[in-house]
Amino acid sequence: MEIIKNYDLKKLNTFGVSAQTKFFVELNNENDLKELFDSTEFKNNEKLFLGGGSNVLFTKDFDGIVVLNKLKGIEIIEENSENVLIRSMGGENWNDLVNFVVDREYWGIENLALIPGTVGASPVQNIGAYGVEIKDTLENVEVYEIETGEKKVFKKDECEFGYRSSIFKTKFKEKYFISAVFLKLNKKEKKNIDYKVLMEYLEENKIEVKSSKDISNAISAIRKNKLPDPVLMGNAGSFFKNIYVDKNKAEEIKLKYTDVPLFEENERIKIPSGWLIEKCGWKGHRVGNVGIHEKQALVLVNYGGATGKEIKDFSEQIINSVNDKFGLILEREVNLI
Ligand code: FAD
Ligand code: EPU
């Protein structure tokens, strides 16, 4: 384990912005954790655990130690005729885990195909897409307490999962390092194809779903068509969360904008933030090196050479603009560092 001084993080965040960290270390082995936790560089500095860097925006240099999670390994822990319990180390690439699972014809995370980043980050914001969230299959999260170095296990119901949220993003933000995740998957068919866009895609392409891989393939195709590839254009997926409002607010907006798409979900009403941003005229708009993607108004992009501060300032303009027009405050999904 080598702790490097003054390291540039440009290649380690999907926005592709430059930021120097005072110290940097790659974690390849769980046994190195003790050495890391005992080091003065770790003890005396602010810490940041990083996976794929696909949900962070570095707005300035980081005056601390960045720990890149490269802990690898996927194993089947137990199985019966119905289910299989899988333990994946946190440094595994999320989509590699999806492929591992669909190749064995297990069901449960196929709708989450092609979400960038690591397994270790997946519970942090309870990753979700196309009608499924990680919380639906997650059993336990294995962690190390950063303050003490002690190993612990959080059961699913201790994680306080919500929409793009968990205890690791709220109360215990930066308090635990997630080393591994346990998922309970189905061996028997359990498809989830009710999400409108997915259903339409399957119908249009005359795809009869026979395996979980059929779904992960369909999802991958939908995503490739809609979302910019960070390798080609810096971005972090949805920059903002969708907004949930009460009935009165929804009716107030509907009176003025009859075309507003409203989705009822568990007695709450979702207004897509993408629609709000588009309605304010931002979709496809570019200011300097930063802009809003032309196919998805929730996605902020770095056309090349943007700084994190530029992207943050741009996001503030959007927040103000949506607030002025609709009286709604957009919340960022991306973690500002
Ligand atoms: P990072 O960006 O490295 O870290 C994110 C946060 O988690 C940071 O605060 C970090 O400190 C913390 N963290 C990371 N690893 C650990 C760990 N092991 N222990 C403790 N804390 C940790 N998200 C969705 O939910 N649904 C989508 O459909 C989706 N689509 C996307 C599409 C694109 C093109 C992109 C670029 C992003 C998308 N995202 C989506 C966001 C992103 O993929 C997820 O949030 C993903 O889980 C981030 O993983 P990461 O390893 O890159 O995390
Ligand atoms: N919409 C617009 N204009 C846009 C984009 C969206 O009007 O430019 C409206 C449309 O009415 C559309 C609706 O928003 O029908 C929903 O759009 P979409 O299906 O593209 O999904 P989203 O709500 O914009 C969310 C997640 C994505 C996830 C998809 C699919 C959030 C913040 N984003 O996007 O997650 O992949 O659903 O489930 O919840 C991410 O978190 O980074 C991410 C990409």
Side-chain angles (χ1 to χ4, degrees):
M1 193 190 67
E2 188 196 357
I3 298 178
I4 302 170
K5 251 189 125 174
N6 298 327
Y7 193 86
D8 192 282
L9 299 165
K10 187 170 179 172
K11 290 203 173 87
L12 299 179
N13 70 95
T14 60
F15 258 124
V17 300
S18 268
Q20 290 277 318
T21 174
K22 190 160 76 169
F23 297 108
F24 175 77
V25 64
E26 226 179 82
L27 189 66
N28 291 294
N29 189 323
E30 211 174 338
N31 298 329
D32 287 344
L33 269 167
K34 184 161 170 22
E35 191 188 334
L36 173 67
F37 283 20
D38 286 344
S39 68
T40 50
E41 290 91 341
F42 190 83
K43 277 187 182 155
N44 299 338
N45 285 288
E46 201 184 328
K47 299 110 179 121
L48 178 73
F49 284 90
L50 199 62
S54 61
N55 208 19
V56 289
L57 177 63
F58 290 103
T59 59
K60 52 182 185 303
D61 288 340
F62 185 68
D63 188 26
I65 180 162
V66 167
V67 182
L68 186 67
N69 182 9
K70 292 270 193 181
L71 299 182
K72 300 280 183 193
I74 303 175
E75 54 179 328
I76 293 172
I77 300 288
E78 56 184 49
E79 59 184 307
N80 56 33
S81 57
E82 299 277 322
N83 301 109
V84 55
L85 184 68
I86 289 185
R87 176 178 188 253
S88 171
M89 296 307 289
E92 285 287 344
N93 173 274
W94 171 260
N95 199 49
D96 288 350
L97 177 62
V98 173
N99 287 333
F100 177 96
V101 164
V102 298
D103 283 348
R104 285 161 181 76
E105 300 194 18
Y106 304 144
W107 298 77
I109 54 172
E110 58 281 358
N111 292 41
L112 304 176
L114 225 60
I115 295 182
T118 54
V119 170
S122 64
V124 175
Q125 71 158 10
N126 179 26
I127 56 166
Y130 301 94
V132 170
E133 292 177 318
I134 180 80
K135 75 163 171 52
D136 302 333
T137 48
L138 185 135
E139 282 285 288
N140 295 321
V141 179
E142 216 171 76
V143 300
Y144 285 84
E145 189 172 13
I146 292 171
E147 187 72 26
T148 60
E150 201 183 311
K151 195 170 184 176
K152 288 188 178 179
V153 171
F154 277 85
K155 296 203 174 77
K156 184 217 289 264
D157 56 10
E158 293 172 316
C159 295
E160 299 183 3
F161 286 124
Y163 164 61
R164 295 294 189 275
S165 179
S166 78
I167 202 162
F168 306 109
K169 202 176 177 178
T170 53
K171 199 156 72 190
F172 291 156
K173 189 173 162 64
E174 280 143 33
K175 294 265 183 289
Y176 292 95
F177 163 60
I178 298 172
S179 49
V181 164
F182 289 78
L183 300 179
K184 187 175 171 185
L185 302 159
N186 291 294
K187 280 181 151 180
K188 298 195 174 144
E189 181 181 299
K190 197 165 187 264
K191 59 185 173 202
N192 194 330
I193 52 172
D194 293 344
Y195 197 91
K196 196 163 162 260
V197 180
L198 174 58
M199 203 188 274
E200 284 168 1
Y201 180 88
L202 295 172
E203 276 168 19
E204 273 163 26
N205 293 281
K206 299 189 174 47
I207 298 168
E208 192 197 329
V209 173
K210 294 199 188 98
S211 67
S212 52
K213 198 171 201 147
D214 290 339
I215 297 185
S216 68
N217 283 341
I219 298 277
S220 301
I222 296 169
R223 295 182 67 101
K224 277 183 188 153
N225 183 40
K226 198 155 49 174
L227 293 164
D229 179 351
V231 174
L232 306 173
M233 193 187 282
N235 76 92
S238 300
F239 195 87
F240 302 102
K241 295 184 189 181
N242 282 316
I243 290 190
Y244 288 87
V245 294
D246 61 25
K247 232 173 163 193
N248 290 340
K249 185 70 189 175
E251 275 164 13
E252 180 196 316
I253 294 177
K254 184 95 189 164
L255 265 179
K256 213 163 165 196
Y257 304 94
T258 48
D259 59 333
V260 62
L262 299 172
F263 300 89
E264 253 190 90
E265 285 178 15
N266 309 323
E267 298 180 19
R268 299 190 305 170
I269 298 164
K270 181 174 95 179
I271 301 190
S273 298
W275 182 86
L276 296 170
I277 295 168
E278 185 173 345
K279 208 68 186 173
C280 290
W282 289 103
K283 196 168 179 175
H285 192 77
R286 178 174 176 169
V287 179
N289 296 322
V290 188
I292 294 277
H293 189 53
E294 58 199 8
K295 288 189 186 169
Q296 232 300 353
L298 266 188
V299 180
L300 268 66
V301 293
N302 173 7
Y303 286 104
T307 63
K309 183 168 179 312
E310 237 179 304
I311 298 171
K312 181 182 169 228
D313 291 348
F314 182 70
S315 74
E316 259 149 29
Q317 286 188 53
I318 292 163
I319 293 171
N320 291 337
S321 162
V322 168
N323 190 15
D324 290 347
K325 197 173 177 81
F326 296 101
L328 292 170
I329 314 261
L330 290 176
E331 196 186 324
R332 292 184 186 90
E333 174 185 307
V334 170
N335 300 280
L336 298 190
I337 313 283

